[in-house]
Amino acid sequence: MATTDRYDTIVVGVGGMGSATAYHLAERGLDVLGLERYDIPHTKGSSHGITRIIRRAYYEHPAYVPLIERAYDLWDDLAAETGRDVIHRTGSIDAGPADNAVFAGSKRSCEEHDIPHEVLTGAEVNERFPGYELPEDYRAVYQEDGGFVVPEQAIIGHTVAAQARGAEIHAREQVEDWAETNDGGVRVRTDRGVYVADSLVLAAGAWTHTLADALDGLAVPERQALAWFQPDGSALRDYQPESFPVWNLSVPEGRFYGFPVHDVPGFKLGKYHHREETVDPDDFDREPNRADEALLRDVTEKYFPGAAGPTMALSTCMFTNSPDEHFILDTLPEHPQVAVGAGFSGHGFKFASVIGEILADLAVDGESDHSIGMFGLDRFD
């Protein structure tokens, strides 16, 4: 059914980034429409999986640290407003050989931004946190404020808070196309109707590139797999949130990340660029297989042996990677009334609270007070 109402902003995608964007726009008193092709929340894209790492020690680039500081504040605000446990602090470990980017980059970020931290050897990590069995000569940055965000609760929290401020949110409605109107706004056509707004935010995860030609080849979906293994017997206590920090680990087998047991049975882990499978988000193998499981179990047995018990669950999701694995946060060059958030490259969800604020800025003002220069589309020219 079509509508003749005009909104201030339409947000396409009500996952991690889109729900936060709808919330921040509604908080500013704007008339907002959020459109989601699946359920809210859902398991088809990138914003699911029970736990997502958050950490102040950011080895990817020190420029992310001011954004993560703001994200922490906004997650705490959302938890206080909604009563939902969207963020949990367990501490975080970033570890690898002494000259590896995971350790060295994390240490550099902490030093440049005066983040309290400890530098530990692998042996010291193993002694303090018995669930770990790292090579003794590895180095690790321990930061006590690291932990995890619960993606499903975050999406629900942002959505409900946006609705409480007047936002209109539609699930099970797929955007088919959009076009600029004669007066500089946008017209969005879905499988249910046509909507008009002054501005548009594209935050559709792995599908965002299908809605903006400027993202062709710059926001590429990749199949990921996750595993939950049940810790054996008495070792279960070593993998609880109060005794087991979240972790990023660079080893000869690749770069891995993981979590304590939370909400569902099992120690959870995944590998960045799992099997390097670029995919069509509408046509790929969503069912985890034995090869996915074996890759993750082998690393668990070697570095977290107490957690290598029976398989509890396997799951797939998608990373949407940019060429340099940094975010894309910008307006479209030929359509300044259209803001895009894409290319979060497997490390974006922790920032969703502040990315929503940034995308709201871009939709309303075309710019943001946050320092986002390194995330512009022009870096790929």
Side-chain angles (χ1 to χ4, degrees):
M1 181 176 67
T3 179
T4 57
D5 292 340
R6 186 176 182 117
Y7 299 88
D8 291 315
T9 305
I10 295 172
V11 179
V12 179
V14 189
M17 310 308 176
S19 64
T21 303
Y23 165 76
H24 283 287
L25 288 165
E27 187 180 38
R28 299 177 193 192
L30 300 179
D31 292 326
V32 183
L33 172 64
L35 299 170
E36 170 57 55
R37 66 184 287 172
Y38 296 115
D39 296 333
I40 300 172
H42 64 84
T43 61
K44 302 290 189 182
S46 304
S47 296
H48 60 281
I50 311 299
T51 50
R52 292 300 179 88
I53 286 176
I54 187 167
R55 49 194 164 87
R56 294 188 193 274
Y58 221 72
Y59 59 82
E60 286 83 350
H61 196 286
Y64 285 96
V65 175
L67 295 181
I68 201 63
E69 298 284 357
R70 177 60 175 161
Y72 267 96
D73 290 341
L74 290 169
W75 288 127
D76 286 337
D77 289 347
L78 184 66
E81 175 176 343
T82 64
R84 294 179 179 274
D85 293 329
V86 298
I87 181 170
H88 297 254
R89 289 167 168 84
T90 64
S92 63
I93 292 285
D94 296 317
D99 60 351
N100 181 266
V102 170
F103 165 72
S106 178
K107 181 171 178 287
R108 178 169 63 114
S109 284
C110 288
E111 291 171 346
E112 288 189 14
H113 291 276
D114 296 322
I115 298 170
H117 67 286
E118 295 179 65
V119 174
L120 306 173
T121 64
E124 289 169 332
V125 171
N126 301 341
E127 182 177 2
R128 186 181 300 190
F129 306 110
Y132 288 78
E133 194 166 302
L134 305 184
E136 293 189 356
D137 60 347
Y138 271 30
R139 294 291 182 271
V141 170
Y142 171 70
Q143 207 284 311
E144 66 179 4
D145 208 29
F148 57 86
V149 176
V150 182
E152 293 85 355
Q153 290 301 313
I155 292 167
I156 294 168
H158 274 135
T159 299
V160 170
Q163 290 169 323
R165 288 161 170 78
E168 185 178 335
I169 307 292
H170 299 183
R172 296 277 175 161
E173 184 164 358
Q174 183 172 340
V175 171
E176 295 178 342
D177 58 42
W178 63 269
E180 187 169 330
T181 59
N182 292 334
D183 63 357
V186 290
R187 179 178 292 104
V188 176
R189 183 170 62 89
T190 77
D191 57 359
R192 291 179 182 265
V194 177
Y195 308 94
V196 179
D198 295 335
S199 62
L200 176 66
V201 176
L202 301 178
W207 293 268
T208 305
H209 74 286
T210 68
L211 298 169
D213 290 342
L215 296 180
D216 187 33
L218 301 181
V220 180
E222 179 184 23
R223 179 182 182 272
Q224 292 294 126
L226 302 164
W228 285 257
F229 300 130
Q230 181 66 9
D232 288 325
S234 61
L236 181 59
R237 66 176 180 270
D238 296 333
Y239 296 95
Q240 300 304 307
E242 61 272 17
S243 55
F244 188 81
V246 300
W247 53 274
N248 278 271
L249 177 62
S250 183
V251 290
E253 295 85 354
R255 185 159 59 101
F256 293 78
Y257 58 96
F259 307 79
V261 177
H262 173 75
D263 198 38
V264 299
F267 156 92
K268 174 188 170 185
L269 81 159
K271 179 189 178 187
Y272 289 98
H273 306 301
H274 176 66
R275 290 163 62 194
E276 300 185 349
E277 298 171 283
T278 298
V279 296
D280 176 345
D282 290 316
D283 184 21
F284 75 99
D285 186 4
R286 292 184 177 277
E287 183 62 26
N289 55 51
R290 292 295 178 86
D292 297 324
E293 180 181 8
L295 186 158
L296 298 172
R297 179 172 288 282
D298 287 349
V299 165
T300 303
E301 289 175 344
K302 187 169 184 179
Y303 302 104
F304 306 93
T311 299
M312 294 291 99
L314 301 171
S315 178
T316 62
C317 67
M318 284 180 283
F319 286 179
T320 302
N321 301 313
S322 72
D324 59 9
E325 298 191 8
H326 294 308
F327 305 161
I328 298 171
L329 296 168
D330 207 344
T331 56
L332 294 180
E334 297 182 5
H335 303 282
Q337 73 277 58
V338 180
V340 295
F344 295 107
S345 304
H347 65 111
F349 195 94
K350 63 182 73 65
F351 294 93
S353 57
V354 69
I355 286 168
E357 192 171 60
I358 291 167
L359 290 174
D361 291 343
L362 293 175
V364 174
D365 302 319
E367 60 184 7
S368 177
D369 289 338
H370 290 289
S371 181
I372 59 172
M374 69 177 284
F375 305 126
L377 279 165
D378 58 3
R379 75 185 191 268
F380 301 116
D381 291 344

